[in-house]
Amino acid sequence: MDDGELRRYGANLRDEIDSASVYEALAQSESDEKTSAIYARLAQVERAHAQFWADRMGGADISRIKPSPRARALGFLGKHVGASLVLPTLAKIETAETTDPDSPREGIAAAAPGDERAHARLVQTLAGRVGGLDGPTLAKLEGRHIGGGGGNALRAAVLGANDGLVSNLSLVMGVAGAAAEGKTILLTGLAGLVAGAFSMAMGEWLSVNSAREMAQRKIDAEKSALEDAPEMQKEELILIYQAKGLDEASARILADKLFSSKEAALDTLAREALGVDPQELGGSAWAAAISSFALFALGAIVPVAAFFFTQGWTAVIVSLALSGVALAGIGAATSVFTGRTAMFSAGRQLIIGWAAALLTFGIGKLIGVSLH
């Protein structure tokens, strides 16, 4: 063993001792027996990891190794202030160590594949727990979001149409302020519609496709971990169910049933540990792109429509009036999400949209005067 390996193993050993000491402090201070048991088991696993590194270094006595000042400080805060102050820090540390290729704890994959990744997810779950898991955390763990599916689609529709409406209204008013001819304003508005719609569609396609690829990569990693260390993955699921409130015996029975089939085990781990629905993976990228294109275009056509039939100030006033009606409608729709009254939301949206249009009209006027 060369000096570089010895230093690296020593750093790994130190990290495991530190983590174990913090989890032990949290277990001692936690009043809820189930949560305390989870912390204690996490500490035991970290101690086992520490022993692994000690053995590779020639059998060092881990009981004589003291935690670092940082770990002692975290343990003190956890004991005397509360786990809620410590867990977010632990979650960041665990996540960084499982995603950073330069992390000193690189060898845990050889010692216990999936353990540290499981810890990162579990600690992130516990970090949101104050007197029991909150609703959003439970929803995420269960692979569902209250009002998520349809609500998110409706929210995306409203925002997509609003983007098209406000951006193209501002563009049209800016060109109108520069005293451009009606045909020029119409052409500019149509160009803004097409360009904006394609931009939205491409952005949405990339976003959804990237999310799908990331989710699939996580599922593939979970599948690999399930094949390499099924018992360890089962323990992760048991801990998650305990974090939800089941006692250990019930959690173990449920996990045993699910792990009777590899397909069921992978599907459950994807939903419970990753928060990913393997059947959907975030939806279709093409459907998202097409809907974004259509919604942006639907909003963007409103301020342009008047210039098909009229010109001059008449077209400007009609464009502002039609856009005002659409802005108020979109504002009223947003009240579904904000909890505000429809009247308030409609008025706010109308004021903001018209303010943007008048501002760009004024800028266009100044530019037009300077150019003339």
Side-chain angles (χ1 to χ4, degrees):
M1 182 187 306
D2 58 33
D3 291 341
E5 286 182 324
L6 188 62
R7 285 193 300 271
R8 191 165 68 251
Y9 294 167
N12 294 340
L13 174 58
R14 169 66 64 190
D15 286 341
E16 301 298 346
I17 292 293
D18 284 353
S19 294
S21 70
V22 177
Y23 288 132
E24 287 165 355
L26 293 176
Q28 293 170 9
S29 62
E30 178 58 54
S31 58
D32 181 78
E33 292 183 2
K34 293 179 181 178
T35 307
S36 178
I38 293 173
Y39 291 140
R41 289 179 64 184
L42 286 171
Q44 290 173 2
V45 175
E46 298 292 3
R47 290 284 179 188
H49 291 174
Q51 190 60 59
F52 170 84
W53 292 115
D55 292 341
R56 296 190 72 170
M57 295 176 66
D61 184 2
I62 63 173
S63 64
R64 303 181 62 181
I65 302 175
K66 302 299 182 184
S68 67
R70 182 191 187 194
R72 288 198 295 270
L74 287 173
F76 178 85
L77 289 172
K79 270 187 175 182
H80 299 284
V81 180
S84 60
L85 188 66
V86 174
L87 283 173
T89 301
L90 278 176
K92 290 178 181 178
I93 293 172
E94 294 276 11
T95 302
E97 286 167 349
T98 57
T99 57
D100 182 3
D102 297 324
S103 171
R105 290 170 77 173
E106 86 299 335
I108 287 301
D115 251 17
E116 296 302 324
R117 188 176 66 253
H119 285 186
R121 288 197 293 258
L122 183 60
V123 174
Q124 286 172 337
T125 297
L126 290 169
R129 179 174 181 159
V130 180
L133 293 177
D134 57 18
T137 304
L138 278 172
K140 184 176 180 181
L141 279 170
E142 294 169 359
R144 60 180 173 81
H145 296 273
I146 298 173
N152 286 338
L154 180 59
R155 184 181 296 107
V158 169
L159 294 178
N162 182 70
D163 284 347
L165 174 59
V166 175
S167 62
N168 222 31
L169 174 61
S170 298
L171 177 62
V172 166
M173 289 299 112
V175 177
E181 295 182 356
K183 291 182 179 180
T184 302
I185 298 172
L186 178 60
L187 181 60
T188 302
L190 291 176
L193 183 156
V194 174
F198 273 113
S199 176
M200 287 287 291
M202 180 178 292
E204 194 68 15
W205 185 91
L206 287 172
S207 175
V208 174
N209 206 48
S210 297
R212 286 177 60 86
E213 291 171 353
M214 184 181 299
Q216 186 60 58
R217 187 163 62 250
K218 289 181 179 179
I219 291 175
D220 291 342
E222 200 71 27
K223 182 179 181 181
S224 177
L226 183 61
E227 293 173 350
D228 293 339
E231 289 303 317
M232 201 163 295
Q233 296 303 105
K234 184 189 290 185
E235 287 299 316
E236 174 190 351
L237 189 59
I238 291 170
L239 286 173
I240 289 176
Y241 283 142
Q242 283 186 264
K244 288 184 173 186
L246 289 179
D247 58 77
E248 183 178 354
S250 300
R252 193 169 292 278
I253 291 172
L254 182 55
D256 287 339
K257 289 182 179 180
L258 292 169
F259 269 69
S260 61
S261 164
K262 287 186 177 180
E263 291 76 14
L266 179 59
D267 184 85
T268 302
L269 283 168
R271 296 173 187 275
E272 300 285 7
L274 303 177
V276 174
D277 183 350
Q279 304 302 319
E280 295 186 4
L281 294 180
S284 168
W286 284 109
I290 293 171
S291 61
S292 292
F293 183 98
L295 290 166
F296 185 95
L298 182 64
I301 195 63
V302 174
V304 181
F307 292 90
F308 279 104
F309 311 106
T310 59
Q311 293 188 12
W313 281 104
T314 302
V316 171
I317 293 172
V318 172
S319 177
L320 285 170
L322 291 175
S323 299
V325 173
L327 285 166
I330 290 174
T334 62
S335 65
V336 174
F337 317 126
T338 63
R340 295 279 194 174
T341 64
M343 185 68 70
F344 174 86
S345 298
R348 179 175 60 182
Q349 190 76 7
L350 182 62
I351 291 171
I352 293 173
W354 272 355
L358 293 174
L359 180 61
T360 52
F361 182 88
I363 293 173
K365 192 75 172 176
L366 292 173
I367 294 175
V369 170
S370 64
L371 289 176
H372 285 308

